[in-house]
Amino acid sequence: TRLGRPTKFHSFGCRVSTQDRAGYDTCRELRIRHLLTGERARLPDLPRPRDSEEVVFSGDLVVTFRKCCCVLYYCHIGDDHWQAVYCDVGHLPYDLMFVKGTLYALIYNYSHYRLAVVKLGKNSAVLSFLGDKLSVPEVNCPRFWLAERRRELLLIVEVEFDPCVYHVFYLHSGKKKWERTTSLGGCSLFFNLHEFAGCLGPDHPAVRRDCLYFTGCSGKWSEYSLADGSYHEFVIDHPGRTEDYGSPVWVLPSIC
């Protein structure tokens, strides 16, 4: 990355995207790199850089968006430009997640959230809604993350803050509704500051089972146990660290 420029990182497994920019509305460089193989690609410049705050990718398909903004941008690695697609009025993507090549979106509709499968067309994003609506309070609205456990889509909800408490839900295929679970089958989920980063199975002895791991600001990360409800926060201490130190990202070679 370029020195002197703020850089944002997003990751899934060993693939990492970096976004460099000099200012809020200036052109941002978006790159994808595989940290084990060294494979890398620079993507085309976005027509509206400020609408690119989050990045998800699957294979050679890259999608970027801004939370609660009606436009999505997508391209394949090697394309010369991005394709902009728009959701219908009132449907605002809050989070996106690829599972087995299918793109899912958590859609915000002013008073509730709802899950949808997204088909990226030429000019529009076609939404096929799944499951029931999730009503939210007007104040102290919880935070949500889409996640994956062994190719099963999950919804993570932060129901309390300081200390944090999280609930985990899965979409019951028969009832078509979200149901809460208190077990991840021994797996552990990892999240960057705004998005899901990966899942490790119970065969990783260095990782506690049935836990959620989050990165935070100032070089912090946290661990929440679904088994006993405990929450612990840690600081990545290293020479030269300051309070302005940015948010780290998880890199998980085992899921590549």
Side-chain angles (χ1 to χ4, degrees):
T1 61
R2 296 186 180 183
L3 295 177
R5 285 191 178 187
T7 302
K8 294 185 66 174
F9 294 86
H10 309 268
S11 68
F12 186 78
C14 273
R15 297 182 75 200
V16 175
S17 73
T18 62
Q19 295 172 299
D20 295 330
R21 64 179 180 178
Y24 184 65
D25 288 316
T26 57
C27 190
R28 173 183 293 172
E29 292 185 356
L30 178 59
R31 301 172 184 268
I32 304 289
R33 181 159 187 171
H34 194 293
L35 297 182
L36 290 182
T37 66
E39 179 185 1
R40 58 184 176 180
R42 185 188 185 283
L43 301 180
D45 292 336
L46 282 154
R48 297 177 63 184
R50 63 180 176 180
D51 287 338
S52 169
E53 292 294 332
E54 316 298 334
V55 179
V56 294
F57 34 81
S58 176
D60 67 343
L61 175 61
V62 183
V63 181
T64 183
F65 67 105
R66 185 180 179 186
K67 286 184 184 293
C68 295
C69 181
C70 65
V71 62
L72 306 175
Y73 293 93
Y74 75 91
C75 76
H76 292 84
I77 294 177
D79 287 352
D80 293 329
H81 63 275
W82 293 86
Q83 179 68 47
V85 295
Y86 294 84
C87 299
D88 290 339
V89 175
H91 298 313
L92 305 175
Y94 178 84
D95 197 12
L96 297 180
M97 177 78 196
F98 278 107
V99 179
K100 295 188 290 187
T102 298
L103 181 60
Y104 294 89
L106 189 63
I107 300 295
Y108 177 61
N109 198 351
Y110 300 108
S111 61
H112 63 265
Y113 290 84
R114 196 170 180 187
L115 181 69
V117 174
V118 182
K119 296 292 185 182
L120 300 172
K122 187 170 176 127
N123 297 303
S124 63
V126 180
L127 306 177
S128 300
F129 288 97
L130 305 171
D132 51 353
K133 298 178 181 179
L134 300 170
S135 298
V136 294
E138 294 183 1
V139 295
N140 298 324
C141 180
R143 294 180 65 190
F144 298 87
W145 295 264
L146 292 178
E148 172 193 9
R149 177 192 60 178
R150 294 178 170 176
R151 299 194 170 188
E152 177 187 28
L153 188 68
L154 300 175
L155 177 67
I156 315 300
V157 183
E158 183 186 63
V159 295
E160 293 183 26
F161 180 75
D162 195 23
C164 294
V165 176
Y166 301 93
H167 289 175
V168 178
F169 298 84
Y170 69 96
L171 191 65
H172 194 289
S173 58
K175 299 179 181 179
K176 294 185 178 180
K177 62 183 297 184
W178 292 105
E179 294 197 356
R180 186 183 169 192
T181 180
T182 57
S183 172
L184 295 172
C187 297
S188 290
L189 307 180
F190 292 79
F191 300 83
N192 296 326
L193 191 59
H194 296 294
E195 73 279 324
F196 177 70
C199 171
L200 292 183
D203 54 341
H204 291 78
V207 179
R208 288 185 64 190
R209 298 183 178 186
D210 294 297
C211 284
L212 309 179
Y213 291 92
F214 292 84
T215 63
C217 298
S218 301
K220 296 179 181 178
W221 62 277
S222 61
E223 173 194 78
Y224 178 79
S225 171
L226 287 177
D228 59 19
S230 62
Y231 175 83
H232 302 284
E233 192 172 81
F234 305 89
V235 175
I236 303 174
D237 197 9
H238 62 86
R241 177 185 173 273
T242 68
E243 289 301 320
D244 295 329
Y245 181 57
S247 174
V249 297
W250 298 109
V251 179
L252 307 171
S254 298
I255 69 174
C256 295

